[in-house]
Amino acid sequence: MKKASPESYAKIVGILTDAFEVNQSVDFILSAHRNTPWRRAALMRYSLEICQDFGEVWLSDDEKACALILYPQLKKTTLKSILLDLKLILHAIGIFGIGKALRRESMIRLKRSKEPMCYLWFIGVDPRHQGKGLGSELLLEVIAHAEAKGLPVYLETSMIDNIPWYKRFGFKLYDDLSLNYKLYFFKRDGMDTFA
């Protein structure tokens, strides 16, 4: 795994755009009928740019898997972050989706811990290469990186099929949220053992 360079950002946006084609959480943010590749790419570009400033952007050595990691304790409002939010509204969620997105984010914020963390915002594998262990390898590296920093790893998923996968890597379900889908909240403390 390597920290991504700006030259690889288009590849990362492409991987995540394809990997999250079917995802209830993304559908909710973009409005399912508007979950087009173009809008998904805008959402992924936004997330990547936020992680570039307040986290890390990783790419597997074979460039078929990637992870966006955010350190919420470092995030602050800047002119750039405000401009990114405006771009997200214009290119992804739309003016009419602002209220729904803000309500969802507010409900999530109430459930998320305030402790310093490594927040795994997105992890994705190019769909043509899924099922080969690339996601697992990358997740292990994210866990090791967080442990080296002394931070727990937090994440959310709306994909029920992913729940056993996260549990296998020592993540524990600590809450959920019912929207028009269910969002599951997971935490992995440092040095937890794998199931």
Side-chain angles (χ1 to χ4, degrees):
M1 176 180 63
K2 58 191 173 189
K3 286 197 179 178
S5 64
E7 296 78 40
S8 59
Y9 287 175
K11 178 177 274 299
I12 291 167
V13 168
I15 290 169
L16 293 174
T17 298
D18 292 344
F20 283 82
E21 179 179 0
V22 178
N23 183 282
Q24 294 178 85
S25 191
V26 171
D27 282 350
F28 185 84
I29 287 294
L30 300 180
S31 296
H33 66 282
R34 294 169 38 158
N35 183 356
T36 63
W38 186 80
R39 288 185 185 279
R40 261 194 327 281
L43 173 63
M44 299 309 169
R45 243 186 324 278
Y46 167 83
S47 304
L48 184 148
E49 290 187 58
I50 293 292
C51 288
Q52 178 186 9
D53 289 348
F54 306 111
E56 296 174 310
V57 180
W58 290 357
L59 186 61
S60 63
D61 292 330
D62 62 8
E63 300 191 350
K64 293 176 174 57
C66 58
L68 301 183
I69 297 167
L70 181 67
Y71 300 112
Q73 61 274 15
L74 302 179
K75 194 168 184 246
K76 56 186 173 222
T77 302
T78 65
L79 178 58
K80 182 179 177 186
S81 71
I82 292 169
L83 292 174
L84 287 172
D85 288 347
L86 290 173
K87 207 159 117 180
L88 177 69
I89 292 166
L90 294 173
H91 296 283
I93 63 175
I95 300 291
F96 299 111
I98 294 171
K100 180 172 75 167
L102 288 174
R103 280 189 300 279
R104 175 186 178 270
E105 197 54 38
S106 175
M107 289 186 280
I108 289 172
R109 202 173 293 121
L110 289 173
K111 294 190 178 273
R112 243 188 232 146
S113 173
K114 307 297 182 251
E115 73 176 314
M117 71 177 71
C118 175
Y119 174 65
L120 182 55
W121 197 349
F122 286 103
I123 185 168
V125 177
D126 181 326
R128 296 168 296 180
H129 300 281
Q130 290 176 356
K132 299 177 183 175
L134 298 174
S136 294
E137 286 177 29
L138 189 56
L139 184 57
L140 283 171
E141 292 191 47
V142 169
I143 290 167
H145 183 73
E147 284 180 353
K149 288 182 167 285
L151 295 172
V153 181
Y154 282 81
L155 63 87
E156 291 106 39
T157 186
S158 61
M159 302 297 291
I160 293 172
D161 292 348
N162 289 348
I163 291 174
W165 185 65
Y166 288 122
K167 286 183 174 181
R168 199 167 64 237
F169 288 94
F171 285 87
K172 293 179 177 50
L173 179 67
Y174 72 89
D175 212 337
D176 61 52
L177 177 63
S178 292
L179 297 155
N180 68 348
Y181 66 98
K182 197 101 158 194
L183 189 62
Y184 302 93
F185 293 75
F186 283 91
K187 176 185 181 183
R188 186 185 192 286
D189 286 312
M191 306 311 225
D192 281 350
T193 56
F194 295 15

